[in-house]
Amino acid sequence: MFAILDSMDTHIEHSWKQALKTEFTQPYWRDLAAFIQKEYLSANIYPAQQHIFKAFELTPFDAVRVVILGQDPYHREGQAHGLCFSVQDGAPIPPSLKNIYKEIVSDMGELQYNTGALTTWAEQGVLLLNSTLTVRAGEAGSHQHHGWETFTDALISTLSDQKEHLVFMLWGNYARQKKYLIDTQKHLVLEAPHPSPLSAYTGFFGCGHFSKANDYLRKWDRKEIVW
């Protein structure tokens, strides 16, 4: 468990810590760290503390090729493990991820994986980033507006500014609101409705984002993602 006086930035993968080092001196970060440490001591919080920055661990800064943006972690037991849309290996596949897989089959012709854990994507350079990295059990959105969004917005801006030819997948209104952080002259931004059962049939199905991402990566001599 993080000690109360410990700093969360010590748990972030080195290349991200370097890229985002100015954030860790900001007052909001100190307030956020204090809030998160108090929450883990007093409530049931997801994901487990060692998985808060799992996306950064599996996808170092220099390895990022694609960014998929989610909102906040799953808030039920046995699901969240630090990657947006992903669940722990062996957990039932959530409805939104089932629809993502359906679109991959439609778009790419086949699906390479049969697990809800998207670690293989992350290891290929797909940053699976939630805008808010923690949540109280059973309380969706409970850790919003405490500083996580400031941090992840800065992260998106840093990627946009310091890298070229990334693919950003923005699904749903919440994610699409982050488009202003991205230089669309340097990167490919793909937008669609959210893959949840409530909205997938309004434009997520048929969006073709996975083949479009690979076409763009191939155009710039980048390795394609095995979806």
Side-chain angles (χ1 to χ4, degrees):
M1 179 175 288
F2 297 153
I4 288 296
L5 297 179
D6 196 3
S7 178
M8 286 198 302
D9 62 274
T10 63
H11 300 270
I12 296 177
E13 189 274 335
H14 177 72
S15 66
W16 284 106
K17 189 174 179 180
Q18 288 299 113
L20 299 168
K21 59 186 177 182
T22 59
E23 297 305 305
F24 306 128
T25 64
Q26 302 300 317
Y28 87 84
W29 181 259
R30 294 193 296 272
D31 293 343
L32 172 62
F35 169 76
I36 293 302
Q37 290 162 5
K38 182 178 179 182
E39 283 287 281
Y40 274 98
L41 288 173
S42 62
N44 191 11
I45 306 300
Y46 298 131
Q49 292 185 63
Q50 67 268 27
H51 292 151
I52 293 175
F53 302 110
K54 191 71 172 179
F56 304 155
E57 175 188 332
L58 294 177
T59 314
F61 183 79
D62 291 338
V64 177
R65 288 182 281 156
V66 177
V67 180
I68 297 178
L69 185 64
Q71 190 162 349
D72 59 357
Y74 295 115
H75 54 85
R76 293 190 185 356
E77 184 178 359
Q79 293 185 302
H81 65 139
L83 308 176
C84 75
F85 291 104
S86 179
V87 291
Q88 297 178 42
D89 197 18
I93 298 175
S96 290
L97 184 54
K98 286 182 179 179
N99 286 340
I100 290 170
Y101 282 172
K102 286 179 183 178
E103 176 57 21
I104 291 173
V105 172
S106 174
D107 186 21
M108 305 294 293
E110 61 180 336
L111 181 67
Q112 300 297 325
Y113 311 105
N114 60 1
T115 174
L118 302 179
T119 51
T120 305
W121 290 8
E123 290 166 348
Q124 294 181 78
V126 181
L127 180 65
L128 296 163
L129 179 68
N130 277 314
S131 184
T132 302
L133 300 187
T134 54
V135 68
R136 278 194 174 209
E139 299 181 36
S142 51
H143 283 184
Q144 293 176 9
H145 312 303
H146 287 281
W148 277 132
E149 297 94 335
T150 303
F151 175 67
T152 52
D153 282 1
L155 184 156
I156 294 168
S157 294
T158 298
L159 283 171
S160 177
D161 292 344
Q162 296 189 20
K163 298 177 76 69
E164 294 184 336
H165 311 314
L166 299 181
V167 180
F168 290 85
M169 295 183 179
L170 308 181
W171 300 333
N173 292 335
Y174 182 87
R176 295 168 86 167
Q177 291 172 7
K178 305 294 183 178
K179 184 177 180 179
Y180 78 97
L181 299 167
I182 305 164
D183 184 344
T184 57
Q185 300 302 308
K186 294 170 57 180
H187 307 287
L188 176 64
V189 177
L190 300 174
E191 301 179 64
H194 196 277
S196 76
L198 294 176
S199 56
Y201 286 94
T202 66
F204 178 78
F205 289 141
C207 68
H209 282 186
F210 304 96
S211 61
K212 290 174 181 176
N214 279 351
D215 289 346
Y216 183 81
L217 292 171
R218 187 168 55 249
K219 172 184 175 182
W220 294 105
D221 297 320
R222 306 271 177 108
K223 190 175 181 181
E224 299 174 33
I225 305 298
V226 178
W227 300 107

